[in-house]
Amino acid sequence: MAKPTILAIDTSCDETAAAVGRGQIILSNVIASQAQLHQQYGGVFPTAAKQAHREKIQPIIKAAIRQAGLGWPSIKAIAVTQGPGLAPSLEIGLQTALNLGQQHSKPVIPVNHIEGHILSVLAQAKPKQGYRRAIKPKLPALSVIVSGGHTEFVLVKKIGQYHRLGTTVDDAAGECLDKVGRLLNLGYPAGPIVESLAKKGNKKRFAFPLPMTNIKTFDLSFSGLKTHSKRLIKNLIVEEKLTKKTTADFCASLQEGVFNHILYKLTKLLDEVPVKELWLGGGVAANLTLRAKLRSLARTKKLTFRIPYSHKLTGDNAAMIALTAGYILERQPKTSAKSLDRRPRWAIGGN
Ligand code: KG4
Ligand code: ZN
């Protein structure tokens, strides 16, 4: 049976996103980034984010439907991110989805943003012609979500059935890269800039401590790496040594520190928890060094390694929300929300 066509909206943080999907196939994926707007604040400013979402959401939805080559009659349901995320940002997406649902008589499906990142590895591009065979993952899988707001290890027992095995106890990995990048005056978000500078840097120049090694859980912590960076950068500035070359070396060393921490905990986890696949999602999943480290670990452990097929699916996007809603509809075909409260702290698979 043909899968339903779903329009999805994500306004969880600072990207205004709409997309159309059908099963695993992504028909359109439109994203308006607010990065430039928040550059002046060095981070996301919630009131400005809400206003920008309000201005952009309608044209972005229109573009998503147009780029999918469809009209409203073909759309079966509207999916929307209910949380986690910034409350004022979430509110715009939820209001818009509920209004459109009423206006066009379509069911509205609330989706967890983290579940979206987890399942983003199952998305597929629309085939030029004919049919694309569905990805059928071997489960259980271990999903590693690394973004600006989250760093988690989630066991995917079944699609829709999750168990969180580890999470950061303070900052997220992306947040750590962004905050240290700010100290280095790299702009916002700093993650991608850190990656590009790191390519020319010496990762052995600065040593970073490996956090949480004396703690048995699979939880992570990045605030110590941030404090360590702060101290090193302060000294470099005082000693007038923060040259271009030193900045590149610092970026390479920082990346190594952040990613080795994830690798250390992940390796321990995989020693204890039997899984068949290793998945990587979230904004930092765009980073080639992180990908290479996880790919190599997956090879050692003989696990299938999956990452999203396009760069646009790693950061915040609505295509992953459309895909997730498709699975929700398969399990619960009658899902249809008439009112929805934002859930800024909606954890997935929590204990
Ligand atoms: O998933 P995402 O778009 O938003 C959240 O849900 O947080 O992730 C954004 C994060 C930011 O911290 C950004 O600096 C980081 O992903 N990021 C990267 C790269 N691209 C984005 N970090 C390292 N290397 C990259 N290439
Ligand atoms: Zn995200």
Side-chain angles (χ1 to χ4, degrees):
M1 207 175 67
K3 305 272 184 193
T5 303
I6 298 175
L7 166 73
I9 299 168
D10 183 285
T11 59
S12 58
C13 189
D14 61 341
E15 324 277 358
T16 313
V20 178
R22 187 182 295 139
Q24 294 177 339
I25 304 293
I26 306 308
L27 301 174
S28 67
N29 189 11
V30 184
I31 304 165
S33 169
Q34 300 175 6
Q36 282 236 288
L37 171 70
H38 299 293
Q39 183 92 27
Q40 57 187 308
Y41 310 110
V44 182
F45 186 54
T47 321
K50 182 177 181 179
Q51 182 57 23
H53 284 310
R54 193 181 277 135
E55 283 163 17
K56 296 267 180 62
I57 189 78
Q58 295 297 345
I60 292 296
I61 290 172
K62 281 203 182 102
I65 298 176
R66 193 178 57 241
Q67 287 181 24
L70 300 171
W72 272 103
S74 335
I75 289 166
K76 250 303 206 306
I78 302 167
V80 61
T81 297
Q82 191 181 11
L86 275 181
S89 293
L90 289 166
E91 196 178 311
I92 299 296
L94 289 169
Q95 270 174 7
T96 309
L98 290 168
N99 288 345
L100 287 174
Q102 209 169 38
Q103 203 178 326
H104 296 277
S105 304
K106 312 282 180 191
V108 175
I109 306 162
V111 175
N112 181 298
H113 181 82
I114 302 297
E115 185 175 8
H117 276 305
I118 293 172
L119 298 182
S120 64
V121 299
L122 303 178
Q124 301 202 66
K126 188 179 171 208
K128 291 248 164 13
Q129 48 185 301
Y131 163 85
R132 206 183 279 283
R133 196 190 302 233
I135 298 173
K136 292 204 173 111
K138 298 182 282 320
L139 300 177
L142 196 278
S143 171
V144 181
I145 301 302
V146 194
S147 75
H150 303 273
T151 307
E152 337 218 312
F153 298 132
V154 181
L155 182 68
V156 183
K157 295 179 187 165
K158 281 185 187 169
I159 291 176
Q161 233 185 75
Y162 309 99
H163 183 45
R164 193 171 74 186
L165 298 176
T167 185
T168 176
V169 297
D170 41 54
D171 290 349
E175 188 180 359
C176 173
L177 296 174
D178 291 343
K179 284 180 174 168
V180 177
R182 195 178 173 195
L183 299 174
L184 294 167
N185 278 323
L186 298 184
Y188 173 84
I193 307 165
V194 169
E195 173 170 35
S196 86
L197 293 177
K199 284 185 188 138
K200 292 165 237 143
N202 170 10
K203 64 182 182 193
K204 297 202 171 126
R205 166 109 180 254
F206 299 96
F208 278 80
L210 200 53
M212 310 272 274
T213 46
N214 55 349
I215 292 169
K216 280 256 177 300
T217 67
F218 306 123
D219 284 340
L220 302 136
S221 166
F222 295 93
S223 70
L225 295 175
K226 184 182 64 188
T227 315
H228 183 72
S229 300
K230 217 182 237 174
R231 212 168 21 239
L232 290 175
I233 293 169
K234 206 170 149 196
N235 288 341
L236 288 169
I237 292 172
V238 170
E239 292 165 16
E240 294 184 8
K241 283 188 185 154
L242 199 56
T243 59
K244 255 187 168 166
K245 169 76 179 108
T246 302
T247 305
D249 291 347
F250 200 94
C251 288
S253 308
L254 169 70
Q255 261 195 182
E256 202 62 8
V258 169
F259 298 159
N260 281 350
H261 175 36
I262 296 173
L263 251 284
Y264 175 85
K265 286 286 177 177
L266 180 59
T267 307
K268 294 240 171 259
L269 192 159
L270 292 175
D271 285 343
E272 281 186 31
V273 183
V275 294
K276 297 183 175 137
E277 301 199 351
L278 181 63
W279 300 357
L280 175 63
V284 188
N287 189 291
L288 297 184
T289 305
L290 178 63
R291 286 180 178 194
K293 284 183 185 285
L294 261 65
R295 186 176 289 115
S296 153
L297 177 63
R299 200 175 296 130
T300 314
K301 301 269 180 196
K302 298 194 167 45
L303 306 174
T304 302
F305 181 57
R306 293 188 196 276
I307 49 171
Y309 78 81
S310 89
H311 189 273
K312 259 173 126 177
L313 281 158
T314 56
D316 287 348
N317 69 90
M320 66 184 193
I321 303 302
L323 178 140
T324 305
Y327 283 108
I328 294 174
L329 267 189
E330 263 177 24
R331 293 195 304 272
Q332 298 155 331
K334 294 204 187 317
T335 309
S336 176
K338 294 286 173 258
S339 72
L340 285 172
D341 281 333
R342 44 200 199 170
R343 298 179 68 182
R345 297 183 169 275
W346 187 9
I348 191 130
N351 304 308

PDB file of all heavy atoms in Angstrom, residues 271-287:
ATOM      1  N   ASP A 271      30.733  -2.506  24.306  1.00  0.00           N
ATOM      2  CA  ASP A 271      31.305  -3.727  24.905  1.00  0.00           C
ATOM      3  C   ASP A 271      30.244  -4.461  25.727  1.00  0.00           C
ATOM      4  O   ASP A 271      30.310  -5.665  25.907  1.00  0.00           O
ATOM      5  CB  ASP A 271      32.466  -3.372  25.851  1.00  0.00           C
ATOM      6  CG  ASP A 271      33.719  -2.998  25.081  1.00  0.00           C
ATOM      7  OD1 ASP A 271      33.777  -3.320  23.881  1.00  0.00           O
ATOM      8  OD2 ASP A 271      34.616  -2.367  25.672  1.00  0.00           O
ATOM      9  N   GLU A 272      29.309  -3.686  26.265  1.00  0.00           N
ATOM     10  CA  GLU A 272      28.321  -4.275  27.186  1.00  0.00           C
ATOM     11  C   GLU A 272      26.960  -4.520  26.564  1.00  0.00           C
ATOM     12  O   GLU A 272      26.230  -5.408  26.988  1.00  0.00           O
ATOM     13  CB  GLU A 272      28.117  -3.329  28.384  1.00  0.00           C
ATOM     14  CG  GLU A 272      29.215  -3.452  29.397  1.00  0.00           C
ATOM     15  CD  GLU A 272      28.937  -2.619  30.636  1.00  0.00           C
ATOM     16  OE1 GLU A 272      27.764  -2.441  30.996  1.00  0.00           O
ATOM     17  OE2 GLU A 272      29.923  -2.137  31.212  1.00  0.00           O
ATOM     18  N   VAL A 273      26.583  -3.693  25.610  1.00  0.00           N
ATOM     19  CA  VAL A 273      25.221  -3.778  25.070  1.00  0.00           C
ATOM     20  C   VAL A 273      25.278  -4.325  23.636  1.00  0.00           C
ATOM     21  O   VAL A 273      25.862  -3.684  22.763  1.00  0.00           O
ATOM     22  CB  VAL A 273      24.553  -2.373  25.072  1.00  0.00           C
ATOM     23  CG1 VAL A 273      23.109  -2.457  24.578  1.00  0.00           C
ATOM     24  CG2 VAL A 273      24.610  -1.758  26.456  1.00  0.00           C
ATOM     25  N   PRO A 274      24.700  -5.497  23.400  1.00  0.00           N
ATOM     26  CA  PRO A 274      24.770  -6.048  22.046  1.00  0.00           C
ATOM     27  C   PRO A 274      23.780  -5.358  21.096  1.00  0.00           C
ATOM     28  O   PRO A 274      22.589  -5.281  21.400  1.00  0.00           O
ATOM     29  CB  PRO A 274      24.374  -7.524  22.250  1.00  0.00           C
ATOM     30  CG  PRO A 274      23.616  -7.563  23.528  1.00  0.00           C
ATOM     31  CD  PRO A 274      23.972  -6.365  24.333  1.00  0.00           C
ATOM     32  N   VAL A 275      24.302  -4.805  20.015  1.00  0.00           N
ATOM     33  CA  VAL A 275      23.448  -4.192  18.982  1.00  0.00           C
ATOM     34  C   VAL A 275      23.942  -4.647  17.613  1.00  0.00           C
ATOM     35  O   VAL A 275      25.035  -5.209  17.498  1.00  0.00           O
ATOM     36  CB  VAL A 275      23.466  -2.639  19.059  1.00  0.00           C
ATOM     37  CG1 VAL A 275      22.842  -2.138  20.341  1.00  0.00           C
ATOM     38  CG2 VAL A 275      24.875  -2.095  18.894  1.00  0.00           C
ATOM     39  N   LYS A 276      23.123  -4.396  16.609  1.00  0.00           N
ATOM     40  CA  LYS A 276      23.494  -4.820  15.250  1.00  0.00           C
ATOM     41  C   LYS A 276      23.933  -3.660  14.365  1.00  0.00           C
ATOM     42  O   LYS A 276      24.590  -3.856  13.360  1.00  0.00           O
ATOM     43  CB  LYS A 276      22.306  -5.534  14.618  1.00  0.00           C
ATOM     44  CG  LYS A 276      21.958  -6.816  15.389  1.00  0.00           C
ATOM     45  CD  LYS A 276      20.835  -7.562  14.730  1.00  0.00           C
ATOM     46  CE  LYS A 276      20.618  -8.881  15.467  1.00  0.00           C
ATOM     47  NZ  LYS A 276      19.218  -9.173  15.671  1.00  0.00           N
ATOM     48  N   GLU A 277      23.491  -2.463  14.743  1.00  0.00           N
ATOM     49  CA  GLU A 277      23.835  -1.311  13.908  1.00  0.00           C
ATOM     50  C   GLU A 277      24.228  -0.134  14.790  1.00  0.00           C
ATOM     51  O   GLU A 277      23.797  -0.034  15.936  1.00  0.00           O
ATOM     52  CB  GLU A 277      22.632  -0.907  13.041  1.00  0.00           C
ATOM     53  CG  GLU A 277      22.147  -2.021  12.124  1.00  0.00           C
ATOM     54  CD  GLU A 277      21.284  -1.528  10.970  1.00  0.00           C
ATOM     55  OE1 GLU A 277      20.913  -0.336  10.970  1.00  0.00           O
ATOM     56  OE2 GLU A 277      21.008  -2.340  10.073  1.00  0.00           O
ATOM     57  N   LEU A 278      25.032   0.765  14.202  1.00  0.00           N
ATOM     58  CA  LEU A 278      25.411   2.006  14.883  1.00  0.00           C
ATOM     59  C   LEU A 278      24.941   3.165  14.008  1.00  0.00           C
ATOM     60  O   LEU A 278      25.292   3.228  12.821  1.00  0.00           O
ATOM     61  CB  LEU A 278      26.934   2.049  15.069  1.00  0.00           C
ATOM     62  CG  LEU A 278      27.489   3.272  15.789  1.00  0.00           C
ATOM     63  CD1 LEU A 278      26.992   3.357  17.225  1.00  0.00           C
ATOM     64  CD2 LEU A 278      29.024   3.257  15.771  1.00  0.00           C
ATOM     65  N   TRP A 279      24.130   4.058  14.582  1.00  0.00           N
ATOM     66  CA  TRP A 279      23.583   5.194  13.826  1.00  0.00           C
ATOM     67  C   TRP A 279      24.137   6.499  14.395  1.00  0.00           C
ATOM     68  O   TRP A 279      24.313   6.613  15.605  1.00  0.00           O
ATOM     69  CB  TRP A 279      22.055   5.256  13.934  1.00  0.00           C
ATOM     70  CG  TRP A 279      21.330   4.049  13.429  1.00  0.00           C
ATOM     71  CD1 TRP A 279      21.859   2.946  12.837  1.00  0.00           C
ATOM     72  CD2 TRP A 279      19.905   3.817  13.491  1.00  0.00           C
ATOM     73  NE1 TRP A 279      20.862   2.053  12.521  1.00  0.00           N
ATOM     74  CE2 TRP A 279      19.654   2.555  12.909  1.00  0.00           C
ATOM     75  CE3 TRP A 279      18.812   4.549  13.983  1.00  0.00           C
ATOM     76  CZ2 TRP A 279      18.377   2.003  12.803  1.00  0.00           C
ATOM     77  CZ3 TRP A 279      17.537   4.022  13.877  1.00  0.00           C
ATOM     78  CH2 TRP A 279      17.318   2.769  13.284  1.00  0.00           C
ATOM     79  N   LEU A 280      24.344   7.475  13.511  1.00  0.00           N
ATOM     80  CA  LEU A 280      24.829   8.792  13.944  1.00  0.00           C
ATOM     81  C   LEU A 280      23.941   9.889  13.366  1.00  0.00           C
ATOM     82  O   LEU A 280      23.734   9.940  12.146  1.00  0.00           O
ATOM     83  CB  LEU A 280      26.284   8.983  13.474  1.00  0.00           C
ATOM     84  CG  LEU A 280      26.917  10.351  13.742  1.00  0.00           C
ATOM     85  CD1 LEU A 280      27.023  10.657  15.227  1.00  0.00           C
ATOM     86  CD2 LEU A 280      28.307  10.439  13.085  1.00  0.00           C
ATOM     87  N   GLY A 281      23.415  10.766  14.227  1.00  0.00           N
ATOM     88  CA  GLY A 281      22.565  11.872  13.754  1.00  0.00           C
ATOM     89  C   GLY A 281      22.787  13.136  14.562  1.00  0.00           C
ATOM     90  O   GLY A 281      23.493  13.134  15.560  1.00  0.00           O
ATOM     91  N   GLY A 282      22.156  14.236  14.110  1.00  0.00           N
ATOM     92  CA  GLY A 282      22.285  15.539  14.785  1.00  0.00           C
ATOM     93  C   GLY A 282      23.290  16.417  14.056  1.00  0.00           C
ATOM     94  O   GLY A 282      24.086  15.922  13.240  1.00  0.00           O
ATOM     95  N   GLY A 283      23.274  17.727  14.371  1.00  0.00           N
ATOM     96  CA  GLY A 283      24.096  18.697  13.641  1.00  0.00           C
ATOM     97  C   GLY A 283      25.572  18.342  13.556  1.00  0.00           C
ATOM     98  O   GLY A 283      26.191  18.487  12.505  1.00  0.00           O
ATOM     99  N   VAL A 284      26.150  17.827  14.640  1.00  0.00           N
ATOM    100  CA  VAL A 284      27.593  17.540  14.661  1.00  0.00           C
ATOM    101  C   VAL A 284      27.913  16.289  13.819  1.00  0.00           C
ATOM    102  O   VAL A 284      29.065  16.046  13.467  1.00  0.00           O
ATOM    103  CB  VAL A 284      28.113  17.418  16.118  1.00  0.00           C
ATOM    104  CG1 VAL A 284      29.629  17.316  16.164  1.00  0.00           C
ATOM    105  CG2 VAL A 284      27.657  18.609  16.966  1.00  0.00           C
ATOM    106  N   ALA A 285      26.877  15.535  13.451  1.00  0.00           N
ATOM    107  CA  ALA A 285      27.077  14.358  12.593  1.00  0.00           C
ATOM    108  C   ALA A 285      27.574  14.761  11.203  1.00  0.00           C
ATOM    109  O   ALA A 285      28.013  13.918  10.416  1.00  0.00           O
ATOM    110  CB  ALA A 285      25.781  13.556  12.474  1.00  0.00           C
ATOM    111  N   ALA A 286      27.525  16.074  10.898  1.00  0.00           N
ATOM    112  CA  ALA A 286      28.080  16.549   9.622  1.00  0.00           C
ATOM    113  C   ALA A 286      29.607  16.480   9.643  1.00  0.00           C
ATOM    114  O   ALA A 286      30.255  16.504   8.593  1.00  0.00           O
ATOM    115  CB  ALA A 286      27.633  17.985   9.370  1.00  0.00           C
ATOM    116  N   ASN A 287      30.188  16.400  10.823  1.00  0.00           N
ATOM    117  CA  ASN A 287      31.649  16.467  10.977  1.00  0.00           C
ATOM    118  C   ASN A 287      32.340  15.178  10.487  1.00  0.00           C
ATOM    119  O   ASN A 287      32.058  14.080  10.982  1.00  0.00           O
ATOM    120  CB  ASN A 287      31.973  16.712  12.457  1.00  0.00           C
ATOM    121  CG  ASN A 287      33.427  17.012  12.664  1.00  0.00           C
ATOM    122  OD1 ASN A 287      34.266  16.141  12.505  1.00  0.00           O
ATOM    123  ND2 ASN A 287      33.730  18.243  13.018  1.00  0.00           N
TER     124      ASN A 287
END
